[in-house]
């Protein structure tokens, strides 16, 4: 009802705590910034700390899909386009 809510802006800095929930939040922080390796690492760490979490392995899998052949980060696409235009 009404206009859909905009997605929340990503956090300015990753959380600094050392528990599974904080690691998932940190993984999401890096995922939102298209840093797939960091996102995968922190999501995997969260899964090791608390294997009952279901969000950590899903986030790790999504990050791994991007590492293994997903779309390149937006910044890389922009740089490639800029390079192509300069030629």
């Amino acid at each position: 009802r009404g206009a859909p809510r905009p997605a929340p802006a990503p956090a300015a800095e990753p959380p600094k705590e050392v528990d599974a929930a904080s690691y998932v939040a940190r993984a999401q922080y890096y995922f939102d910034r298209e840093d797939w390796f960091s996102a995968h690492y922190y999501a995997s760490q969260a899964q090791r700390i608390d294997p009952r979490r279901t969000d950590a392995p899903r986030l790790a899998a999504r990050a791994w899909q991007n590492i293994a052949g997903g779309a390149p980060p937006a910044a890389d696409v922009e740089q490639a386009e800029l390079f192509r235009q300069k030629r």
Side-chain angles (χ1 to χ4, degrees), residues 35-53:
D35 182 347
W36 315 128
F37 287 100
S38 296
H40 183 268
Y41 172 80
Y42 285 109
S44 297
Q45 293 300 315
Q47 186 178 7
R48 284 190 195 114
I49 292 170
D50 185 357
R52 297 170 296 172
R53 293 190 71 102

Side-chain angles (χ1 to χ4, degrees), residues 3-79:
R5 290 183 181 172
E13 293 185 22
K16 303 218 184 317
E17 296 83 13
V18 185
D19 57 49
S22 298
Y23 274 16
V24 169
R26 191 174 290 189
Q28 187 65 55
Y29 169 86
Y30 287 114
F31 191 90
D32 291 343
R33 284 156 181 75
E34 299 181 348
D35 182 347
W36 315 128
F37 287 100
S38 296
H40 183 268
Y41 172 80
Y42 285 109
S44 297
Q45 293 300 315
Q47 186 178 7
R48 284 190 195 114
I49 292 170
D50 185 357
R52 297 170 296 172
R53 293 190 71 102
T54 58
D55 53 352
R58 282 192 305 236
L59 186 55
R62 288 174 48 213
W64 190 255
Q65 285 176 334
N66 285 305
I67 292 168
D76 291 352
V77 172
E78 290 173 19
Q79 285 185 338

Side-chain angles (χ1 to χ4, degrees), residues 76-87:
D76 291 352
V77 172
E78 290 173 19
Q79 285 185 338
E81 179 60 22
L82 180 62
F83 179 77
R84 188 188 67 73
Q85 290 174 358
K86 287 182 178 181
R87 292 176 85 193

